[in-house]
Every structure is written in structure tokens, then in C-alpha cells.
Amino acid sequence: MIKVDQLTKLYGKNTAVKSLSFQLSLGNCIALLGPNGAGKTTTLRMMSGLIRPTSGSINLGTSNHKDIRREIGYLPQHPHFHLWMTGKEFLIYVGQLAYLSKKEARKKAELLIERVGLKDAAKRKIATYSGGMKQRLGIAQAMIHRPKLLMLDEPVSALDPIGRRDVLNLMEELKRETTLLFSTHILSDAEEASDEILLMHKGSIVESGPLDQLRKRHHVDKISIQSELPPEVL
Ligand code: ATP
């Protein structure tokens, strides 16, 4: 069980994330759904250890810092690739940065590149990859340690329909091996890929649960939700 407790991030006077508490069951796929500025990226960056929370805690069931890095895979919204490298070279490089030996990194790179459907493009420079292929390479990068929790920031929002489909299919497969938490501002992405939704607005979770339950609750309590959220979210 991954437990987030009262997580808060302030930027000066601006509260980006406010007292966020939730639990993730292992093996689930959860969507962090909310409009721009809701606090999704800030949440994922705190959970991945990239930024420090102002207060609150994240419990992954591990205690030391090195363990935590090994338990988490994170793909930022705008990942940085060394475009002059081939996909396989890049994964070997990333594996070594993540403390794998060259031999281990090579083995992992070969397995992962096949896993994300890029075997035929393994020896091509990343500069020649489409957006969807880059995103799948990014997912392979984030999976290099077989993380317990894989977090993807807006993994499909910027993709064309084919790239989107490929990445959603990959996410569907990966949730058999890891807990997946991804952010999106598009309801249909959350609907298609997730078992559960954390609905975020203005730094807080305003609803959570499987989408069908959320819909029923909205029906019962339309006013509070609609007054909280802009129409594009629901
Ligand atoms: P988007 O989809 O647009 O990225 P988001 O839900 O991921 O939105 P965040 O990027 O987490 O939202 O931003 C939440 C709030 O925190 C916004 O008001 C944003 O302006 C603010 N914010 C985020 N990062 C910083 C920063 N480094 N310094 C100051 N304010 C920030």
C-alpha cells in the first residue's frame, strides 16, 4: 500500500497542493484527473522525490532514500532525451545512471525496448522517433528498475490518435506488473486507462473512486461538484 498523507506544497503565497491524502493499492491504475493548474504535476514531482513537500508525507513502505529511488519510476510531462543516441543506447545509458552494471543495463535495455514495442526502432536515433515512440521510450526509461510505482505525467495528452492508442495499450499491459499513477486533464483518457480516479481541483482532491461510482455520486450531488469544477473536466 502506498500512502500519501496531508501532502502540501506552497510556492510563496500560492498553494499548489493542499493537504492531499490518498492511498494506492498495489497493482491498480489510478488517474489523477484535473484541469490545468490543479496541482497534478506538483503532486507527481513530490511523490517522485524531485521536489520537497512543504508538509505531509509519502509512505512507500520503504525507509531509506536509495530504496525510494528504486521503488519509483517517473516520466515527466516533457521528458528530455539525448536525440543523437539510439533508443537502445539511451536505455543503456539511463540504466547505468541508475546504478546498473553495463552488462545489466544492456540486458535490461534489450528486454524493455521489446516490451514497449520499439524493438525494430532500437538502433534508430531518437531524433527520428514519433511522439508516441518517444513516450514509449520514456516509459521504458522509467521502468528500468522495475519500480513498484510508475508515475506518468500527461503520458497521452500531446499524442496523435495512433500514438495515444499505442501508449494506452502499453499502460494496460504494464499495470499487471506495477502500480500506475498517471495524470491527465482529459476525462476520456482517465476513463479508458484507469481503475480509479482522483479528481483534483485547485490543489485538492475533490472526488475519488472508480468512474462509475463518481458519476453516480455526481448525479446525487451535482451542485457541489459542478460549482467546484470547470465544465471541461466533467
Ligand atoms: P498542468 O496540466 O497545466 O501542468 P497541473 O495540474 O499539473 O497543471 P501544476 O503544474 O502542479 O498543475 O501547478 C499547480 C499550481 O502551482 C499552479 O498554480 C502553478 O502555477 C503553480 N506552480 C507549479 N510549479 C510552480 C513553481 N515552480 N513555482 C511557482 N508556482 C508553481
Side-chain angles (χ1 to χ4, degrees):
M1 183 76 85
I2 294 156
K3 208 170 161 190
V4 170
D5 191 29
Q6 297 287 313
L7 204 60
T8 296
K9 182 72 186 177
L10 303 177
Y11 287 111
K13 285 184 183 163
N14 182 10
T15 307
V17 170
K18 193 159 96 190
S19 304
L20 222 60
S21 295
F22 59 88
Q23 295 185 354
L24 305 178
S25 304
L26 295 182
N28 262 5
C29 180
I30 301 100
L32 204 51
L33 173 68
N36 289 340
K40 306 181 296 295
T41 298
T42 306
T43 302
L44 296 183
R45 296 188 83 211
M46 285 192 281
M47 290 182 70
S48 63
L50 281 176
I51 56 170
R52 232 175 236 280
T54 306
S55 58
S57 64
I58 301 139
N59 190 339
L60 295 162
T62 35
S63 52
N64 84 48
H65 187 66
K66 206 167 173 183
D67 280 349
I68 288 172
R69 283 180 51 182
R70 286 173 188 226
E71 302 284 6
I72 285 177
Y74 174 61
L75 178 64
Q77 189 169 3
H78 305 291
H80 176 74
F81 297 106
H82 295 323
L83 297 175
W84 64 90
M85 286 183 172
T86 68
K88 185 173 163 185
E89 283 167 353
F90 182 70
L91 288 182
I92 294 172
Y93 164 77
V94 167
Q96 288 182 286
L97 281 183
Y99 309 114
L100 297 178
S101 70
K102 186 154 191 181
K103 197 174 160 202
E104 284 172 325
R106 185 176 291 277
K107 203 171 156 198
K108 252 307 168 43
E110 278 165 8
L111 285 172
L112 276 171
I113 210 138
E114 187 166 355
R115 187 84 185 74
V116 300
L118 290 174
K119 195 177 174 195
D120 293 344
K123 292 183 180 164
R124 266 169 54 190
K125 288 202 187 329
I126 300 169
T128 69
Y129 284 17
S130 67
M133 291 166 82
K134 284 196 191 114
Q135 208 65 331
R136 283 184 281 143
L137 183 68
I139 292 174
Q141 171 189 354
M143 289 288 288
I144 207 97
H145 266 310
R146 272 187 146 265
K148 187 156 105 179
L149 173 63
L150 176 65
M151 291 185 284
L152 309 174
D153 196 356
E154 300 269 4
V156 292
S157 309
L159 300 180
D160 64 26
I162 294 173
R164 175 180 178 276
R165 176 58 28 226
D166 288 344
V167 172
L168 287 177
N169 287 345
L170 176 62
M171 286 165 62
E172 186 66 37
E173 281 179 30
L174 290 178
K175 72 184 196 193
R176 289 189 214 127
E177 340 182 339
T178 182
T179 303
L180 232 161
L181 176 64
F182 73 100
S183 74
T184 179
H185 61 277
I186 301 169
L187 178 62
S188 57
D189 291 344
E191 191 168 17
E192 250 182 86
S194 69
D195 307 310
E196 254 179 63
I197 288 177
L198 296 169
L199 191 58
M200 248 189 124
H201 187 51
K202 291 187 179 166
S204 300
I205 290 178
V206 291
E207 277 284 356
S208 65
L211 188 63
D212 50 349
Q213 284 183 24
L214 246 70
R215 284 214 163 105
K216 276 182 210 153
R217 284 214 290 276
H218 291 164
H219 185 67
V220 174
D221 190 10
K222 248 180 185 168
I223 299 161
S224 68
I225 298 304
Q226 284 187 347
S227 61
E228 286 267 352
L229 292 166
E232 69 268 22
V233 179
L234 292 170

